[in-house]
Amino acid sequence: MKFKFEIEGGNFSKAGTASSEVKKILKQLNVNPKIIKRTVVSLYEAEVNVVAHAFEGVMKVEVEPDRIIVIIEDKGPGIPDINQAMQEGYSTATPKVREMGFGAGMGLPNIKRNSDQMNISSTVNVGTKLELINYFK
């Protein structure tokens, strides 16, 4: 099964919509609740990153019998130093984003912690691509 969700940059009122939909789908498929939770935490963090930092993005979800594969691609400023961005507490969020309670610098570390596999690539002034895999067993 394949699903695709558009993510609108800057629209915090819709942040979490795609991850909520994926949660419903995984529950309907009777996926282990612990795996659902880990997956949804990763997807929510990724979705908020797109909303906070990019102009727009897309989340592509593929549910296979043994795993879920998610690719989130955005058009935005990109990440100049991925290793630095992976450090807990490092953030490039604007003061406005921080005032809303986001931008604590835990997004990418939380995604990595809650994913069985995570790959990230980014080009400055183009965008970022994040690939996540969680296995059902």
Side-chain angles (χ1 to χ4, degrees), residues 32-103:
N32 180 322
K34 288 180 182 174
I35 294 167
I36 293 174
K37 183 176 181 182
R38 290 180 69 228
T39 302
V40 172
V41 165
S42 291
L43 297 188
Y44 178 76
E45 293 282 11
E47 195 173 352
V48 167
N49 278 351
V50 172
V51 171
H53 299 287
F55 308 117
E56 64 182 359
V58 64
M59 180 186 293
K60 297 176 190 166
V61 179
E62 187 169 350
V63 181
E64 296 182 348
D66 63 333
R67 63 187 173 171
I68 180 170
I69 302 164
V70 183
I71 297 173
I72 299 113
E73 291 183 274
D74 72 39
K75 293 179 181 151
I79 303 170
D81 185 338
I82 290 173
N83 288 332
Q84 188 177 34
M86 291 301 299
Q87 294 176 19
E88 290 188 10
Y90 178 79
S91 177
T92 59
T94 64
K96 181 182 174 192
V97 169
R98 290 175 193 260
E99 284 171 20
M100 289 187 278
F102 301 100

Side-chain angles (χ1 to χ4, degrees), residues 96-136:
K96 181 182 174 192
V97 169
R98 290 175 193 260
E99 284 171 20
M100 289 187 278
F102 301 100
M106 295 303 294
L108 290 175
N110 279 339
I111 293 168
K112 185 173 178 78
R113 192 175 303 118
N114 285 286
S115 301
D116 293 329
Q117 289 182 304
M118 175 185 141
N119 297 307
I120 185 169
S121 59
S122 190
T123 304
V124 174
N125 296 322
V126 176
T128 301
K129 180 178 181 180
L130 183 64
E131 298 174 272
L132 311 172
I133 298 175
N134 274 348
Y135 294 93
F136 295 147

